[in-house]
Amino acid sequence: MDDPRDWGRIAAANALSDVYAMGGRPVTALNLVGWPRSLDFELLGRVLEGGQEVCERAGVQIVGGHSVDDPEPKFGLAVTGTVAPEAIVRKSGAAAGDLLVLTKALGTGVISSAIKEGKASAASAEAAIASMTRLNADASAAASAVGVSAGTDVTGFGLVGHLLEMLGPHLDARLSFSSIPLLSGALELAEQGTVPGGSKRNEEAGSPFVVSPELSPNERTLLFDAQTSGGLLLAVPSPRSDDLLNQLRERGDAIASVVGEVTAGSGRIEVPRG
């Protein structure tokens, strides 16, 4: 990100997401900073302000931090949260017949690369920043209220990588590409070649497990796009899916969509267009 405040906001939302993904409520956080002495410390102040802003919105108290001299600027949070043991949402637990719900659009990796290369439109950049700074708090609360079989947040391994973790060796998934929400401009930017290295590595690792003959190479790439502060991917029993979507939308997750279903199998993902 070009703006240090946005960078701090995104980093904080990304860190809090790990607690939300497990059905928890984040309570406290420690700032973790790596910063070069050659870089203006006023910029660091703006980064920390962005992180503080998001933590306040989440009701999280920053109780301290740690900083080191680092040639490359880094910022994140160590987050502590609470959850009742019986309410923990785990990656495992999905069952054949479950529907898959995704709460945020894909494409932040591609758009972030385009921002660095000066290729992203203002609309695409704004959409990506808005998505990355949106907390998964409401999505987590909806999942806990309805009761889901399994869940995770979609981050660095992309949609395919995190879905494969949920499936394990005994389940398959069938995704509908047309049902997967994409950020504005993401596909067009992928067609221009602004794909981050992490997304390319994800595709190299995950391609053997994905069947998608109807998709173009760039559409397929977005399935592997490395996300920052992505949405929740939830496996929900089919009879509860409408309730989950209704609760998500009532809480403001208007983009949330059923993107596929879980079937018996051996850890493969089929992605037809429709």
Side-chain angles (χ1 to χ4, degrees), residues 11 74 91 98 103-104 111 170 175 178 205 220 246 248 260 268:
K74 301 178 178 70
K91 292 178 184 177
D98 283 352
T103 66
K104 286 188 185 181
I111 293 174
H170 304 300
L175 301 178
S178 62
R220 182 179 167 93
N246 288 336
L248 286 166
R268 301 278 173 169

Side-chain angles (χ1 to χ4, degrees), residues 74-216:
K74 301 178 178 70
F75 171 63
L77 300 174
V79 183
T80 301
T82 61
V83 63
E86 67 274 11
I88 294 174
V89 177
R90 305 181 188 278
K91 292 178 184 177
S92 59
D98 283 352
L99 298 183
L100 293 166
V101 174
L102 181 64
T103 66
K104 286 188 185 181
L106 301 181
T108 60
V110 165
I111 293 174
S112 295
S113 288
I115 291 172
K116 286 191 283 188
E117 297 179 23
K119 295 180 179 179
S121 68
S124 291
E126 289 171 6
I129 292 169
S131 178
M132 290 187 285
T133 55
R134 178 173 175 76
L135 293 172
N136 281 322
D138 289 332
S140 177
S144 295
V146 171
V148 298
S149 304
T152 187
D153 54 341
V154 179
T155 51
F157 293 142
L159 175 62
V160 164
H162 290 287
L163 177 54
L164 287 171
E165 288 181 331
M166 291 174 66
L167 296 176
H170 304 300
L171 294 170
D172 283 359
R174 180 181 174 88
L175 301 178
S176 167
F177 185 80
S178 62
S179 299
I180 297 173
L182 302 177
L183 287 168
S184 172
L187 180 56
E188 293 77 9
L189 289 167
E191 290 169 347
Q192 296 175 32
T194 57
V195 179
S199 301
K200 294 176 182 177
R201 289 189 291 273
N202 288 343
E203 188 163 6
E204 290 174 3
S207 279
F209 306 98
V210 178
V211 179
S212 58
E214 299 175 13
L215 303 187
S216 72

Side-chain angles (χ1 to χ4, degrees), residues 235-256:
V236 59
S238 180
R240 301 180 196 166
S241 60
D242 286 343
D243 189 13
L244 177 60
L245 286 175
N246 288 336
Q247 292 223 22
L248 286 166
R249 287 165 183 159
E250 287 174 4
R251 296 169 190 263
D253 280 295
I255 294 175

Side-chain angles (χ1 to χ4, degrees), residues 15-17 19-20 24-29 58-61 79-82 135 137:
L16 295 172
S17 185
V19 174
Y20 291 132
R25 180 178 67 88
V27 178
T28 63
V60 171
Q61 180 69 40
V79 183
T80 301
T82 61
L135 293 172

